[in-house]
Amino acid sequence: MITMGAIGVSNTFICDTKNNLHHKMEDLCGGKFIHIDDYAQYLPFATGVALEFAHVPAKHSFRERVATTATAVLIMGTIVSTVKYTVNERRPDGSETNSFPSGHTATAFTGAEIVRHEYGLGYGIAAYTIATGVGFLRIYNARHYLNDVVAGAGVGILSANIAYWLLPWERRLLGWDESSTSTMVLLPTYSPTQNSFGLAFSMTF
């Protein structure tokens, strides 16, 4: 998906196709844009949070899911930002030169892939449906071309999977392995003589 999206930046045939799609979307929306994609990009992540509160069993523990999500978002954001300001593809609406890849789509698909990993195919399909809707709206709102959205989806899926590949290393680094006896404690402290607050950190391994 990332490769096809990248080819679409300059390939004549794909450029003609994406431009034709852009013009058809212009005719479809008639200048009436739907900007819920700015918020909908986070819905797959919100789905994961809702499933947590609903006590739906997940594949990993809560702290592992937090670590994985943070890692995936960091990887995704780094890739998207680096490529955007390296490729310099102009947006369909002509506003900026950071169209490729779509960051909104990458965000949505990162969350969708995490939901699929943690809660299975059924919930994953629902999250992927939302993510696909975000990608459609980015094209509909003239913020991205088709190749930007396809590449963004690929970046999101890849970022989530890299985060899961790194999870065993993070477990060892943070002492979360079942065989590990290390513990970490973080407690607030108060000194009445100095009238000050602080934090006390203790780690055993």
Side-chain angles (χ1 to χ4, degrees):
M1 294 174 73
I2 298 172
T3 301
M4 288 301 298
I7 293 173
V9 174
S10 58
N11 179 271
T12 302
F13 174 76
I14 298 180
C15 282
D16 289 341
T17 301
K18 72 181 186 183
N19 283 324
N20 289 334
L21 178 61
H22 165 59
H23 294 316
K24 289 180 180 179
M25 284 294 181
E26 280 186 322
D27 295 337
L28 177 65
C29 75
K32 298 178 181 179
F33 300 119
I34 305 172
H35 291 296
I36 61 171
D37 47 331
D38 290 334
Y39 309 100
Q41 62 177 315
Y42 303 112
L43 280 179
F45 290 106
T47 300
V49 174
L51 292 172
E52 170 69 19
F53 280 105
H55 303 292
V56 177
K59 185 176 180 180
H60 296 90
S61 68
F62 177 75
R63 64 182 180 182
E64 289 174 334
R65 277 176 278 148
V66 170
T68 300
T69 301
T71 302
V73 170
L74 177 62
I75 293 170
M76 180 272 297
T78 301
I79 294 174
V80 168
S81 297
T82 301
V83 176
K84 272 183 178 292
Y85 296 102
T86 300
V87 175
N88 291 321
E89 182 187 45
R90 186 166 293 281
R91 291 183 183 271
D93 61 6
S95 61
E96 299 170 287
T97 56
N98 60 348
S99 188
F100 179 85
S102 169
H104 284 61
T105 308
T107 300
F109 274 85
T110 300
E113 180 66 0
I114 290 174
V115 169
R116 186 193 69 80
H117 263 280
E118 295 296 337
Y119 299 101
L121 184 60
Y123 291 110
I125 290 174
Y128 265 91
T129 301
I130 296 171
T132 302
V134 172
F136 171 79
L137 286 175
R138 297 309 284 167
I139 300 173
Y140 180 88
N141 291 327
R143 296 297 289 164
H144 286 288
Y145 292 107
L146 175 62
N147 68 299
D148 305 330
V149 168
V150 171
V155 169
I157 295 169
L158 177 63
S159 299
N161 279 284
I162 291 175
Y164 279 104
W165 296 335
L166 292 174
L167 182 57
W169 177 81
E170 291 181 328
R171 283 198 194 106
R172 292 193 296 270
L173 179 66
L174 298 172
W176 291 350
D177 280 335
E178 291 182 0
S179 59
S180 174
T181 58
S182 63
T183 59
M184 291 185 292
V185 179
L186 189 64
L187 296 172
T189 62
Y190 173 69
S191 174
T193 57
Q194 298 181 354
N195 195 27
S196 62
F197 292 89
L199 287 174
F201 176 76
S202 173
M203 181 176 182
T204 60
F205 52 90

